Amino acid sequence: MPGDDGAARPGLVDRRDLMAALDHAAEKRVTVVSAPAGSGKTSLLRLWADRRRRDRRIVFLSVKPGQYDAQLFWLTLLGVIRGTEPPAPAPGYDGQAMVDKVLTELSASGEPTVLIIDDLHELTSSEANEQLAALLTSLPAEVHAVVATRRDPALRLHQLRLAGELAEIRAPQLRFTEDETRKLLTAAGIRLPDQVVTTLYERTEGWAAGLRLAVLSLTGHPQPERFVAEFSGSDRTVAEYLMAEMLDRQSSEVRRLLLRTALLDRVNGELADLLTGATGSERILLDLEDANAFVVSLDPARSWFRYHHLFGDLLRLELRRTAPGDVPDLHRIAARWSADHSDTADAIRHLQAAGDWTEAAQLLTDHALSLTLDGQAGTVAVLLRTFPARIGEDSPGLALVHAIADLDQLHLDQADAHLDVVRAYAATTPPGRQYRLRTAIASLDLLSARLRGNFEGVFEQVDALPSAASGQSTADVAISNDLRALSLLNLGVTEAWSLRLPESEKYLLEGATLARDIGRPYVEVACLAHLGFTATGHSFALARQYCENAIEEATHHGWDTEPVIAPAQATLAWILIRTGEFDHGEQWLNRARHATQAGAEPGIRLLIHLVTATLGAVRGRYDEALAELAAAGDLNARIAGNHALTPRITGLTIATHVRLGELDQARAALAAVDDQLAGTDEVRNATAVLRLAEHDPTGARDVLRPAAGGAPITLVEANLLDALACHDLGDESAAQAAVERALQLAEPDRLILPFAITGGRQLLEALPPHSTSHAALVSDILDAIHGNDHTVVPGPSEALSPSELRVLRYLPTNLTRPEIAGELSVSVNTVNTHIRHIYAKLGATDRSSAVQRGRDLRLLSTGVR
């Protein structure tokens, strides 16, 4: 757990007054501990947290130095709260959703919790600071937060201050008293006369860092009184003087390790050995931490360490003063180690610090896409901004990085301009590097075409993907695999939005498998998230399974509120609404809408608009539905290709105008449709709705008659509209036959939406007794439309209730009673009770005889699946 070693180290002074102040502050919602470097904030909070563990959960986070990435901050905090590794980052995160998730995690246990965020001054992201302020002002009642910082935080906490819910502890309160100074010396085994202790206290003014450095220097000093007498003051000059004293008293081995590792944000034994050219560095680091020598471990295994910030600053000053020529080489060594250990971002930072701009640019160019696929788009943008302007001219490959960043932000024109620069550059590079650049360019062209909705352009780009070169290096193979996985995702999505669903399913499954094999979970989840849509054309059960699997995988990685999972959430909402679970569908729709607040590709936004409009139409909120459809139409007009959802958006728009009584607007919308679109099932159905409203049932039947194939949902709708037309013509026999065909088509997937949206209630309620073999489905439909007050009389002396009919329809399946209970969201006891009643009412003795009796009475279809 970063920044939390779980216990106070030996030698820390029990500062009772400050402990009491923190205890008192904990009665409020938030405590701010604000004091300069070296004031003892971290040591104090660790000791206090260790004591409070007895009665509450402690969550301790030390902000990483130079933390400018808001997403990484929140993911790290989420991992600390859960006691796990941080979830993997994902492109396009939603900050507010992350705040909500952290609040949920904090309150999940229900036990009193203290959230401590140390070194908040290192959080330089204004976005993250604003979100943190929102978190602190919304904490659950059982959570108290403490933030420690060198300067007043950029947090808007005035509401808490005015409400008396903010406690503040500042530098004067953190200063050691003379008595505490004496205890500190005693704990370190240092005996000084009282007068000398008083002098030391006065010279340091109780400054914790000065006292700590003095203790280190005094340990074993041959003339402690002289040492105390020879310095004065409490500012940085004193710290530097004490640093020199302390370093002079260290062995050459320890001194070399401290100085040559000072340029790192964190260090382990292996890297320290490499930088010092020695062995045994881990043992030295452990000994320094045990001695409270400004070294702290970052993980429970005590394998990674960092220096206290003031100590690190002073070590770096000393390194530059004594060995400035070594600094670039040390950064290069650290860069090579980081690159070898797959920490590309740190490797690039070290190369930049060494002044090796060309090498840094090449490394970023080669790995920018990989970093983005790992969710580090913000890191890529910051690294890109760090390069001097001239490097962009000397390293045209960086244009590829600019293109990736632009595509991530949906700045498509700028991305295309940068790709043109890279194309010209790639033509002049050596063959090996040319392959890598051409592969990247082709893949990004593919992504750009997909984001524009230029679906034909996507297929053209497939041929531009370079074939694998023989004798590729390991790095080239990794990059090729990344780009291949991304290409399969783009192809799969494009095929889906072109309604070539089998091809889409093939590409997405292949892409998910490849992404899993090469360790790219974000791309895997992206592929899985789109799979649900590919199955909606032939099996809602499979589509729902795909969606639920994708959501489960995304949740495992902490991406359940990210845009990457929105396709599965929106598709699941679409399925649930089609099958009559309107409230449940709305919940998933809201999640999808929330996940795409930070931006999403046009296809997903279209789907969300369509599903929202459909739900509004079902509930009779036609004005709201038309507003969503208008937004979808505007978005659709900006898409270069023909989107799969266009016919349904157009048809629903026409039909909604009709249902709102706006026949002229419906006619105008229909007149604007081209011949190809007019021939689609969705628009033909909408035309029939208009003809029925114009009292032209014959014209409605003429429009519907050509419909023979197509998706089940449009066929169900067409048969219901045909039934309405037959009813208007007075042909009740034909109307009843059309309703029965609609029920037969709806039965496999339990399609309810067409009945709800077309006025199917009247048709179902007009059915003569015992006239349908789909009585259980009829009950479900009527329940979904009007609640649970409809009973379908099946024929036996005592009618089955709607709940019993719902259980009856599961009896022909292989589902067990617990599984049926799960499907219906009821207890097993409830299912058992319903089955007993079914057997009694149908005169059955077991499950098979109940099914046969249900079919004989036309309560069940002979083709139930």
Side-chain angles (χ1 to χ4, degrees):
M1 193 175 292
D4 185 10
D5 61 3
R9 294 285 176 203
L12 292 182
V13 174
D14 184 358
R15 308 189 66 189
R16 293 183 180 178
D17 290 345
L18 274 175
M19 292 292 168
L22 284 168
D23 286 338
H24 181 69
E27 297 173 4
K28 300 186 177 183
R29 184 175 296 183
V30 176
T31 299
V32 173
V33 181
S34 179
S39 297
K41 300 182 294 295
T42 299
S43 297
L44 172 69
L45 290 176
R46 287 181 176 218
L47 187 58
W48 181 73
D50 185 55
R51 295 192 173 190
R52 296 313 299 258
R53 287 181 198 282
R54 300 163 190 166
D55 59 3
R56 63 198 59 215
R57 180 174 63 140
I58 300 295
V59 176
F60 200 121
L61 170 69
S62 290
V63 180
K64 180 181 177 182
Q67 180 61 269
Y68 46 74
D69 192 309
Q71 183 182 17
L72 291 181
F73 166 75
W74 286 109
L75 291 174
T76 303
L77 177 56
L78 197 60
V80 171
I81 294 171
R82 293 172 173 172
T84 64
E85 288 297 314
Y93 94 110
D94 182 343
Q96 184 55 52
M98 192 64 75
V99 170
D100 294 341
K101 184 179 294 186
V102 168
L103 287 171
T104 299
E105 292 285 345
L106 284 172
S107 60
S109 68
E111 62 180 313
T113 300
V114 176
L115 168 64
I116 300 175
I117 301 178
D118 197 13
D119 298 327
L120 183 60
H121 54 274
E122 297 287 359
L123 185 61
T124 57
S125 166
S126 58
E127 178 186 10
N129 273 290
E130 289 178 6
Q131 293 158 0
L132 180 58
L135 174 82
L136 295 176
T137 55
S138 306
L139 289 173
E142 67 275 12
V143 178
H144 173 71
V146 182
V147 294
T149 175
R150 291 185 183 179
R151 54 186 176 270
D152 283 354
L155 303 175
R156 296 174 182 156
L157 302 178
H158 56 281
Q159 292 180 346
L160 291 174
R161 187 177 285 110
L162 290 172
E165 290 293 332
L166 180 67
E168 298 176 86
I169 296 176
R170 299 189 174 275
Q173 294 165 272
L174 290 170
R175 289 177 187 149
F176 274 61
T177 64
E178 184 174 342
D179 184 56
E180 288 172 336
T181 300
R182 186 173 289 104
K183 290 179 179 178
L184 180 65
L185 292 167
T186 301
I190 299 171
R191 304 295 181 188
L192 294 176
D194 287 348
Q195 184 178 356
V196 177
V197 173
T198 300
T199 301
L200 179 62
Y201 166 68
E202 291 174 348
R203 297 287 173 84
T204 60
E205 297 182 359
W207 182 40
L211 287 169
R212 175 59 63 193
L213 287 166
V215 167
L216 291 170
S217 298
L218 283 165
T219 302
H221 200 288
Q223 296 179 294
E225 294 181 32
R226 178 183 171 188
F227 172 83
V228 172
E230 286 182 351
F231 76 92
S232 63
S234 59
D235 58 12
R236 193 180 186 90
T237 303
V238 173
E240 292 173 9
Y241 170 71
L242 293 171
M243 171 66 70
E245 282 285 326
M246 190 273 288
L247 282 178
D248 285 344
R249 298 185 60 78
Q250 301 301 319
S251 68
S252 59
E253 182 183 28
V254 172
R255 179 186 175 92
R256 180 176 176 83
L257 181 146
L258 291 172
L259 290 176
R260 293 179 71 84
T261 60
L263 48 77
L264 302 171
D265 289 335
R266 62 178 193 154
V267 63
N268 64 9
E270 179 185 345
L271 183 51
D273 284 347
L274 193 62
L275 290 168
T276 60
T279 58
S281 297
E282 184 174 43
R283 182 70 263 164
I284 294 173
L285 290 165
L286 288 167
D287 289 343
L288 288 170
E289 185 188 27
D290 288 338
N292 289 306
F294 295 90
V295 177
V296 60
S297 58
L298 295 175
D299 59 330
R302 297 178 71 194
S303 58
W304 281 96
F305 305 84
R306 71 165 173 85
Y307 301 129
H308 283 259
H309 302 311
L310 176 64
F311 188 55
D313 289 345
L314 295 173
L315 284 173
R316 284 186 284 275
L317 284 173
E318 184 69 7
L319 176 63
R320 295 189 190 100
R321 185 181 69 81
T322 58
D326 291 349
V327 174
D329 285 338
L330 291 172
H331 278 297
R332 293 184 184 105
I333 293 170
R336 285 195 295 273
W337 188 91
S338 298
D340 290 343
H341 289 78
S342 302
D343 194 346
T344 306
D346 262 358
I348 294 167
R349 291 188 192 99
H350 283 298
L351 289 173
Q352 290 174 329
D356 295 346
W357 296 107
T358 301
E359 188 176 351
Q362 181 168 323
L363 190 61
L364 182 57
T365 300
D366 290 345
H367 292 276
L369 184 59
S370 176
L371 288 169
T372 301
L373 294 181
D374 281 339
Q376 299 189 56
T379 298
V380 170
V382 171
L383 291 171
L384 192 57
R385 289 196 298 269
T386 306
F387 286 95
R390 63 176 178 79
I391 300 302
E393 300 171 3
D394 298 339
S395 302
L398 281 179
L400 182 71
V401 186
H402 282 287
I404 292 170
D406 288 334
L407 287 172
D408 183 66
Q409 296 296 316
L410 297 178
H411 298 155
L412 305 185
D413 291 338
Q414 296 94 311
D416 287 349
H418 282 121
L419 285 173
D420 287 340
V421 173
V422 186
R423 261 185 276 274
Y425 166 65
T428 66
T429 58
R433 184 152 179 76
Q434 187 176 94
Y435 166 77
R436 298 165 80 175
L437 285 171
R438 286 180 56 234
T439 304
I441 293 167
S443 180
L444 294 175
D445 280 337
L446 191 63
L447 176 59
S448 177
R450 167 190 149 196
L451 293 176
R452 290 180 182 279
N454 181 12
F455 302 139
E456 292 305 318
V458 170
F459 298 121
E460 292 171 5
Q461 294 297 337
V462 172
D463 295 333
L465 289 173
S467 57
S470 60
Q472 283 183 315
S473 67
T474 302
D476 283 347
V477 169
I479 292 170
S480 297
N481 284 334
D482 284 344
L483 298 175
R484 173 65 179 162
L486 188 59
S487 299
L488 288 167
L489 167 63
N490 291 329
L491 280 170
V493 175
T494 298
E495 295 281 19
W497 294 146
S498 303
L499 276 189
R500 290 185 275 263
L501 299 183
E503 293 86 351
S504 173
E505 186 175 28
K506 180 190 73 172
Y507 285 128
L508 291 173
L509 286 172
E510 185 180 348
T513 301
L514 175 59
R516 183 167 54 254
D517 290 344
I518 64 176
R520 292 295 185 200
Y522 176 80
V523 180
E524 180 189 359
V525 168
C527 290
L528 295 175
H530 285 88
L531 269 173
F533 187 84
T534 69
T536 54
H538 59 90
S539 170
F540 275 16
L542 179 60
R544 182 167 181 169
Q545 181 181 340
Y546 275 148
C547 291
E548 291 172 345
N549 290 346
I551 291 168
E552 181 180 0
E553 187 69 17
T555 302
H556 172 72
H557 291 284
W559 298 334
D560 47 315
T561 60
E562 307 294 340
V564 67
I565 198 57
Q569 293 170 331
T571 301
L572 182 56
W574 187 215
I575 293 168
L576 291 168
I577 290 169
R578 288 181 175 194
T579 54
E581 297 181 59
F582 303 128
D583 292 340
H584 193 188
E586 185 174 26
Q587 292 172 6
W588 283 107
L589 178 60
N590 289 336
R591 293 187 189 186
R593 195 158 37 224
H594 190 69
T596 54
Q597 285 180 344
E601 66 175 277
I604 300 305
R605 290 158 59 198
L606 273 180
L607 179 59
I608 291 173
H609 283 309
L610 174 60
V611 178
T612 305
T614 301
L615 186 61
V618 166
R619 290 174 168 168
R621 298 200 291 263
Y622 298 121
D623 287 329
E624 295 176 17
L626 283 175
E628 290 289 338
L629 292 166
D634 291 342
L635 183 61
N636 200 26
R638 297 196 295 272
I639 293 177
N642 295 319
H643 198 281
L645 298 178
T646 301
R648 184 154 292 279
I649 291 168
T650 304
L652 186 57
T653 300
I654 295 168
T656 304
H657 277 303
V658 173
R659 287 162 184 151
L660 195 57
E662 299 176 345
L663 300 190
D664 288 341
Q665 289 90 327
R667 295 182 187 106
L670 181 59
V673 172
D674 61 38
D675 292 342
Q676 181 178 358
L677 191 56
T680 61
D681 293 342
E682 293 84 355
V683 175
R684 280 209 306 268
N685 285 354
T687 305
V689 172
L690 176 59
R691 296 290 177 263
L692 287 170
E694 293 172 330
H695 307 292
D696 181 11
T698 301
R701 295 204 74 195
D702 288 341
V703 172
L704 294 168
R705 195 162 286 129
I713 194 163
T714 55
L715 292 178
V716 172
E717 185 177 18
N719 277 282
L720 290 173
L721 293 170
D722 189 45
L724 289 170
C726 291
H727 174 75
D728 287 352
L729 291 168
D731 190 345
E732 296 302 332
S733 175
Q736 184 176 334
V739 171
E740 188 67 11
R741 287 195 301 271
L743 288 168
Q744 184 69 31
L745 289 164
E747 183 76 57
D749 283 321
R750 314 299 291 177
L751 291 174
I752 290 176
L753 174 64
F755 296 89
I757 208 167
T758 59
R761 169 201 168 196
Q762 294 86 346
L763 292 170
L764 296 179
E765 291 179 338
L767 288 174
H770 327 309
S771 64
T772 178
S773 59
H774 306 278
L777 176 59
V778 170
S779 178
D780 284 352
I781 294 169
L782 294 176
D783 282 352
I785 298 174
H786 293 292
N788 298 320
D789 57 348
H790 298 282
T791 299
V792 179
V793 181
S797 58
E798 190 175 357
L800 295 185
S801 71
S803 296
E804 291 160 358
L805 282 168
R806 279 194 294 274
V807 173
L808 175 65
R809 72 180 173 87
Y810 284 103
L811 296 188
T813 71
N814 293 323
L815 293 180
T816 64
R817 293 188 182 195
E819 289 170 338
I820 294 172
E823 289 289 322
L824 294 172
S825 299
V826 299
S827 70
V828 176
N829 286 337
T830 299
V831 170
N832 289 335
T833 299
H834 288 327
I835 289 178
R836 285 198 303 271
H837 291 168
I838 291 169
Y839 289 179
K841 292 179 180 181
L842 296 184
T845 57
D846 56 23
R847 187 164 177 166
S848 60
S849 62
V851 170
Q852 186 57 53
R853 180 65 175 151
R855 286 174 175 160
D856 292 343
L857 294 170
R858 298 178 65 79
L859 298 176
L860 291 172
S861 168
T862 56
V864 171
R865 292 182 290 181

